[in-house]
Structure formats: C-alpha cells, structure tokens
Amino acid sequence: MAASVSPLCSSFKLSSSVLQPSCHYKFRIFRKCSGLQRCFHQSAFSQTAMVISGKELARQIHKEVQCDVEEWVSFGNKQPHLSVIVVGDNPASHTYVRNKTRAAAALEHINERAVCNAVAPEKDVDGFHIVNIGKLCLDQKSMVPATPAAVWEIIKRTEIQTVGRNVVVAGRSKNVGMPIAMLLHTDGRHERPGGDATVTIAHRCTPREKLKELTRLADIVIAAAGIPHLITADMVKEGATVIDVGINHIQDSETGKIRLVGDVDFEEVRKRAGFITPVPGGVGPVTVAMLMKNTVTAARNTITH
Amino acid sequence: MAASVSPLCSSFKLSSSVLQPSCHYKFRIFRKCSGLQRCFHQSAFSQTAMVISGKELARQIHKEVQCDVEEWVSFGNKQPHLSVIVVGDNPASHTYVRNKTRAAAALEHINERAVCNAVAPEKDVDGFHIVNIGKLCLDQKSMVPATPAAVWEIIKRTEIQTVGRNVVVAGRSKNVGMPIAMLLHTDGRHERPGGDATVTIAHRCTPREKLKELTRLADIVIAAAGIPHLITADMVKEGATVIDVGINHIQDSETGKIRLVGDVDFEEVRKRAGFITPVPGGVGPVTVAMLMKNTVTAARNTITH
C-alpha cells in the first residue's frame, strides 16, 4: 500500500516504507512539495492515519550514525564508546538494586541529580547535566535528551509543519515532556533551532475536560504521561499528528497476557488522526538511534573540549 | 472604595489597599476563605476588574526585605551590596555606550551569555547564569529572574488559584516568558514549588486568531510580548486574571506625548477581567522588590557557598 504514497520533495527524503498508510480503502493524497498536506475531505472513502514507522526512521538514523563513525575512525580517532551508569531501579536487576539501595540508604545517599552533574557535560549523552538542561532551555547547542530528540526528528523527517501550529504536550517530566515543549515552542532562528509552535504543557493537574478542549485545538498532540488510553479519538482534531511517547505494560483483558501500550487509544485515534506513531515501533527505536547520535557527538566533543 | 473589600483569610494577608476595586457602581463580592472567589453573575450592576497595585505589593516586599537585612546585619554580617554590570545599551548613557560598542566591536566582542555565566551562580541576582536557568527548569531552588518572580509573587499574594487552571503566557523571552511558563506549569510539590497550571506559551509565530482561541480558555493571561494592545477585551474570559508585563513607550495620539503602556488594552480589558495589573504601577515595582529579595539571598549564599 505504501506504493500509493508519492515521494517527498524535501531535504529529508524518506523511503516510502517509513509511512505506512493503513487505509482500508483506496484514497487519494494531495500533497505539495512544501509539506505533507493531505486533503481529508476530497474522498468519500473512509481512511485512517499514516502510521509513522519509528523502526524505519531509526534504521535511517543508524545508517547516518554508522557513516559518521566510519568517517570519525578513518581520521585516526578511537571508536566512540558508550558507558552506562544506572541510578535507581532497573527492572532487569530489581532485587539486586533494591538490596543495594537499602544498603546505600544506611551508608550513603546516591542522588540522581548529583550523578547527572558528575558526568562531563560534553560527554553527557543523556543530556541530563544541569548545564545541558540550561543550554537546551536557552536554545543553545547542547546534548538533547534522546526521547525529545526522537520526537523532534520524527516531526522533522515526516515533514510535519510546526511554525504557528498548536501543540499539546501531555506530560511535564524533565527528561521528556518539558524538553519536548522547549524544543517545539522556541525560535527557529536561534543557535539550536526550535519549532516556533504554540505549545501547551498539560499534566496530572489538568482536568480531563480542559485537556480535551486544548487537544481538540491542537495540530500536534504529544502524549508523554504514562497513562494508557489517555488520548482518545474524541480528543483529537481530524488530521492532527499524534505522537505517542508512553510506555505502559498492561494486562490484556482477553488473553491475560502483559502487553506494551502507549498513552494513545491507537486503534480509534488512527481513524481520526493524520499521522500517528505506534507503540511499540514508534518513538522507542528512534530514541535509541538518537542516543547513538549523541554518542558520536560526545566523541567529537573530546577534541573540541 | 477599597473599604468594600473584605479582608482575606490566608497565610498571605493583604492590606485592603493592595486591591483597588475600580467599579463605577456598588457591587457585591462573594468570597470564600480558600481564595478570592467572586461571583460575577450575582449582580446586575456593571463592574470592572480588581486592579492589583504593584506599588503596594512592592512596599510589602520591601518591608520584608528590610527586616531580613536588619536581622542579617544584627548577626554581624556585612550589609548586602548590589553591584551592577551593564552589557549593551543603557538609555542614560546612550552615546557613551554606542561609542564604546563601536570601539569594542573592532577589538573584542562582549558576549551577553559569557558575562551572565561569569557571575558566580550564588551571587547571580538576575538569575541569568546557565546553572540558575538549569536549576529553575529542573524545579530546584535557584535565583529566579526578578520579573518572573514578581509575576509569581503577584499571583500568590493575591491568592489567585493556579492548580489545574489554564494559563496563557504571550511571549517566550528567556528572562520573562519562558521562566514564567516554567514556574506556573511545574509541580507544586517539588523543591521549588510550581503552580501546577496548564500553561500555553504563545509568541510572534502564533496567529492572532489562534491566540484568541487560547486566551478565551485561559483563567490567567500573562502578556509579556512587548506589543501594545496585544490583549484586547474580546480575547479575555470573563473574570480572568490579566497580568501585564509589557513595557512600551508610545506616542499619545491626542497629546502627542510619549507615554508608557503595557501589552494589554487596560481600559477595555478591566471591564471584563477579574483581576488586572496596570502599567505603570503593576509588575514593575514588584520586579524591583524581587531583585532586592534576590540580593539578600545572594548575601546569605556567601555563607553557605
């Protein structure tokens, strides 16, 4: 079905497989070179959102990173290397960490913020160092946390317009919601260009009805609250872009099995949205790709710092 | 007329002169102890917004600062002292600065950001150091820039509710709009408590009609764009709070004289709003008071750092 999508005319070219139209009926797409402008009322046929394949976007970014690494090494530099420091609760070693935490609580306190700030800012691939947060919020070049960077990359590579558009970010976490809001509302002409969008930050204190009022005005809805089915079809404007950052493990009512879902009622919202990212296979793989990009940037920074 | 305002039952007690009801007709105010809840539809009489006197609030804060200073000095500490470094254009010495700038441009570049970062974060009364910006955005205790701190103080001391309320901040500057949005949307339980409001950041790329759609949903509108008459009465929900951070010098069409106005069409908006700050005499004097508060904090920091 992807064959019906004409190639995009832009600096960021997408292979047709990135966009996976999941329409049940044949439909026409009217598109200008300046962006993905779909005409939603030109066809009497029912249609559903373009599902953005995070896996395919991630594959593209990984290829770019691979090229960067090869070039870097060809100049006689060491292969970039990523070391991981885990603070807090790791599901894979739950008991071990719990015991460590208990022991540590009696002796010494491991402060997450202190650990983030202990990493040299130029090597801080997570972008959690206070100087990187400060730079991000001042629109300076910095290590951008991987998930917000992934959301940005998805929007830009799918050529979704942001300037002057309404964006609602549901979730205000410091590593996801807040930086996404920061990237999208800021000035496109600054050192680290922003999206020039009108951005609303909603969160657990936002009454559901007020959230709905705002999301129905939104051209882009970014769900990053960690609440399954937070965004339902009646909350989304027709043709809007819906990006699902949620990662929730829920028990399937039919099979009893645990499965991964996002914050968006995917099956219903896809019938109304213009673009949508699935969970899994949406923001997740692109986040990993962006972490790899940050790693290469950190390696380059070793020369300039 | 202030005599008709009953005293507030709260931890922050206001003298009645802070609120200056400017109603042309007698009206009744229904208020609960938990906040300033006015019943706007109980009276057939026309009414206008409560005008919040920034001068009076500033006087209160100055008194508090004076007490802090006296206590500080009584413990044998030096009187807090504020040194000012001016970067850029100072109206009072326009020609001098222009000549200096010309000379400097040929020799050395004075970078505003470099100067901000050269001040020790704990003495940075402007709150512009990158570490203070980072801390502000991470909801940590920090030097908060004086204007956003003033807006916060006005809201809190006037007991305007923010939790779950819609706020629109028009303006995204790094020293005013952005920090205001940060203070108001963040978690009330964090180290530096936030307002728990749903916050929309609008700016020059926001189409006027879209801004109006959003401000009409807003319980609090904060105008910080530097555009005279940006916020007009038709954009404001009845009973909303309107805080005017704008400082614009315009030529009066009748007298030909230059006069100071904010971003809000004060005379018309006051007929519709619940609370409003004037320009001059609103945010301005409170900003100066907050700078004095920051100076005392900086003096205290010399002991702990």
Side-chain angles (χ1 to χ4, degrees), chain A residues 113 135 137 139-140 164 172 174 182 185-186 189 196-201 203-206 210 219, chain B residues 113 130 137 139-140 164 172 174 182 185-186 189 196-201 203-206 210 219:
Chain A
R113 178 48 36 209
K135 284 183 171 181
C137 297
D139 310 347
Q140 296 176 359
R172 59 179 171 183
K174 296 301 176 192
M182 201 55 71
H185 92 265
T186 45
R189 300 168 307 183
D196 276 326
T198 306
V199 175
T200 300
I201 312 175
H203 43 77
R204 66 175 179 78
C205 299
T206 306
K210 287 196 176 188
D219 304 290
Chain B
R113 177 48 37 206
I130 198 148
C137 296
D139 310 347
Q140 295 176 0
R172 59 179 171 182
K174 295 303 175 190
M182 201 56 71
H185 92 266
T186 46
R189 300 168 307 183
D196 276 326
T198 306
V199 174
T200 300
I201 312 174
H203 44 78
R204 66 174 178 81
C205 298
T206 306
K210 287 196 175 189
D219 304 292

Side-chain angles (χ1 to χ4, degrees), chain A residues 33-68:
Chain A
C33 285
S34 59
L36 291 170
Q37 298 296 329
R38 295 206 303 162
C39 185
F40 290 96
H41 302 290
Q42 294 287 334
S43 167
F45 298 117
S46 128
Q47 64 179 51
T48 60
M50 288 283 205
V51 179
I52 299 168
S53 168
K55 282 186 188 172
E56 182 53 34
L57 280 176
R59 209 169 290 149
Q60 289 177 15
I61 298 167
H62 281 307
K63 273 186 197 166
E64 292 167 20
V65 172
Q66 189 56 39
C67 290
D68 287 345

Side-chain angles (χ1 to χ4, degrees), chain A residues 56-229:
Chain A
E56 182 53 34
L57 280 176
R59 209 169 290 149
Q60 289 177 15
I61 298 167
H62 281 307
K63 273 186 197 166
E64 292 167 20
V65 172
Q66 189 56 39
C67 290
D68 287 345
V69 170
E70 283 168 12
E71 188 188 65
W72 175 253
V73 173
S74 74
F75 286 119
N77 297 301
K78 277 200 294 187
Q79 186 92 6
H81 179 83
L82 182 64
S83 296
V84 178
I85 301 167
V86 179
V87 179
D89 198 12
N90 179 348
S93 55
H94 192 77
T95 310
Y96 176 59
V97 170
R98 193 172 59 228
N99 290 343
K100 272 204 307 186
T101 306
R102 276 186 194 150
L107 301 167
E108 49 163 317
H109 181 54
I110 297 177
N111 178 290
E112 189 185 347
R113 178 48 36 209
V115 172
C116 290
N117 290 348
V119 178
E122 65 275 13
K123 292 183 182 176
D124 168 37
V125 293
D126 284 323
F128 293 164
H129 191 286
I130 197 147
V131 166
N132 279 320
I133 297 284
K135 284 183 171 181
L136 177 81
C137 297
L138 291 173
D139 310 347
Q140 296 176 359
K141 279 184 186 167
S142 68
M143 289 286 198
V144 178
T147 306
V151 170
W152 174 264
E153 214 62 25
I154 286 168
I155 289 172
K156 289 294 147 187
R157 289 180 185 243
T158 317
E159 289 201 322
I160 292 156
Q161 301 300 303
T162 57
V163 180
R165 306 297 165 95
N166 286 351
V167 176
V168 170
V169 181
R172 59 179 171 183
S173 68
K174 296 301 176 192
N175 53 351
V176 182
M178 185 278 279
I180 288 172
M182 201 55 71
L183 292 174
L184 285 172
H185 92 265
T186 45
D187 197 317
R189 300 168 307 183
H190 281 186
E191 182 184 310
R192 191 266 305 131
D196 276 326
T198 306
V199 175
T200 300
I201 312 175
H203 43 77
R204 66 175 179 78
C205 299
T206 306
R208 193 168 175 80
E209 277 310 304
K210 287 196 176 188
L211 178 62
K212 186 175 164 179
E213 273 184 325
L214 292 163
T215 55
R216 285 181 68 90
L217 294 177
D219 304 290
I220 302 173
V221 175
I222 297 163
I227 301 169
H229 291 90

Side-chain angles (χ1 to χ4, degrees), chain B residues 225-296:
Chain B
I227 301 170
H229 291 91
L230 176 70
I231 305 298
T232 49
D234 59 323
M235 298 170 76
V236 175
K237 186 166 82 169
E238 197 173 345
T241 296
V242 180
I243 295 180
D244 194 348
V245 191
I247 298 175
N248 308 292
H249 293 88
I250 62 163
Q251 191 170 30
D252 193 294
S253 56
E254 288 180 17
T255 65
K257 286 184 182 169
I258 299 296
R259 64 186 180 94
L260 184 66
V261 297
D263 289 357
V264 175
D265 182 354
F266 182 77
E267 288 307 329
E268 292 303 315
V269 172
R270 75 193 298 187
K271 295 175 187 167
R272 194 167 174 79
F275 292 90
I276 192 166
T277 62
V279 175
V283 175
V286 186
T287 296
V288 176
M290 296 315 292
L291 185 67
M292 295 303 106
K293 249 193 178 314
N294 279 354
T295 305
V296 175

